[in-house]
Amino acid sequence: MNSKPDLKQLQQRLGYQFSNPEHLLLALTHRSYGNRNNERLEFLGDSIVNMVIAEHLFLQFEQAKEGQLSRLRARMVKGVTLAEIGREFDLGRYLRLGSGEMKSGGFRRESILADTVEAIIGAIYLDSDFYTCREQVMRWFKPRLQKLNIQDTQKDPKTRLQEYLQSRQFPLPQYEVVSVEGEAHAQTFHVSCALSSLDRKTEGVGCSRRIAEQQAAQAALQALGVEND
């Protein structure tokens, strides 16, 4: 969150020692801090992490179809997962943010943490080579990859609900945040889901709006009799 983060400490957390620490410093620099920021590194890192995870899944699940592999990869490289990795490194404390972004709690924001993780991956690639970078990515993702199985390829509740409604030419669901409770760093979201084909709204609760919406969609699928509890 400052102009001179403790790069030595962060490198220990990452498990990688940069030959040129300026690569890491740039990866930690959000666009709100200045024109020279991590957006290009984020672009590079996004491509690398998708390639590395795709390769691993291709080799691990030999019988999986293309759609199943795509959904498994999406689960691994989505913003929520990347942000979780960022929190494991306590990444928020090392970010370089503009004053406005800092005051609004940007160092806790899921999207900023996820983008920074991708930027760091890009920085490691520039600082070393693809094989070293792949090794780092695999080490960070290993605990999550070990838990994956082919059943994880089922589409998320919001997608399933949308496809169900579209197949019957029904209007799409309307999600609404009913309330938000708690402090900025530990909020609980209450979300409702309204359907023209249901006479009541379903509700979901979660630590993020996305999770709450997924819960509300799952409840809608159950209320429609599409899925069991």
Side-chain angles (χ1 to χ4, degrees):
M1 291 180 348
N2 50 65
S3 60
K4 294 183 180 180
D6 188 342
L7 297 184
K8 182 178 180 181
Q9 183 183 63
L10 178 56
Q11 288 175 98
Q12 291 174 343
R13 291 177 182 271
L14 297 174
Y16 178 80
Q17 187 72 33
F18 278 81
S19 300
N20 183 359
E22 288 297 316
H23 286 144
L24 177 57
L25 190 63
L26 183 59
L28 297 170
T29 306
H30 186 255
R31 64 177 178 272
S32 63
Y33 190 85
N35 291 329
R36 191 169 185 272
N37 55 62
N38 64 7
E39 288 187 326
R40 284 170 54 82
L41 284 176
E42 175 198 336
F43 164 79
L44 183 60
D46 174 69
S47 299
I48 293 169
V49 73
N50 271 277
M51 167 59 194
V52 171
I53 298 303
E55 178 189 47
H56 174 82
L57 296 174
F58 180 83
L59 296 174
Q60 180 175 346
F61 299 101
E62 295 182 356
Q63 304 305 315
K65 297 180 179 179
E66 184 272 339
Q68 292 174 309
L69 292 172
S70 293
R71 287 191 285 275
L72 284 172
R73 181 180 61 182
R75 176 171 176 168
M76 283 292 96
V77 303
K78 65 184 179 181
V80 175
T81 305
L82 291 165
E84 286 175 355
I85 292 173
R87 292 190 191 97
E88 290 171 4
F89 297 141
D90 198 13
L91 206 54
R93 67 183 297 184
Y94 303 100
L95 297 177
R96 297 207 296 176
L97 304 170
S99 58
E101 195 65 65
M102 190 182 303
K103 290 177 182 177
S104 66
F107 57 92
R108 291 188 295 261
R109 190 162 297 128
E110 190 173 90
S111 59
I112 291 180
L113 291 173
D115 291 346
T116 305
V117 170
E118 290 180 334
I120 291 174
I121 292 170
I124 292 175
Y125 170 75
L126 291 182
D127 193 71
S128 56
D129 53 55
F130 177 76
Y131 300 101
T132 300
C133 188
R134 179 172 60 184
E135 183 180 335
Q136 290 298 125
V137 171
M138 287 302 301
R139 188 165 61 82
W140 297 351
F141 278 86
K142 184 177 180 179
R144 294 167 175 82
L145 289 167
Q146 289 177 332
K147 296 177 182 178
L148 280 183
N149 57 64
I150 205 67
Q151 281 69 45
D152 292 321
T153 60
Q154 185 180 29
K155 296 176 182 179
D156 64 79
K158 283 186 67 177
T159 301
R160 298 200 302 276
L161 178 59
Q162 179 174 316
E163 291 181 351
Y164 172 83
L165 296 173
Q166 288 178 327
S167 69
R168 288 156 179 79
Q169 297 184 333
F170 291 157
L172 294 179
Q174 299 295 316
Y175 297 96
E176 180 182 358
V177 177
V178 177
S179 64
V180 182
E181 303 170 352
E183 300 295 328
H185 66 282
Q187 292 182 324
T188 299
F189 290 78
H190 295 257
V191 170
S192 68
C193 175
L195 301 178
S196 62
S197 50
L198 274 181
D199 58 2
R200 64 180 177 85
K201 295 180 179 180
T202 58
E203 296 184 356
V205 180
C207 59
S208 70
R209 177 173 180 170
R210 183 193 66 82
I211 293 174
E213 287 180 349
Q214 296 286 10
Q215 293 292 331
Q218 182 64 49
L221 288 166
Q222 293 165 0
L224 290 167
V226 180
E227 297 181 6
N228 297 323
D229 293 349

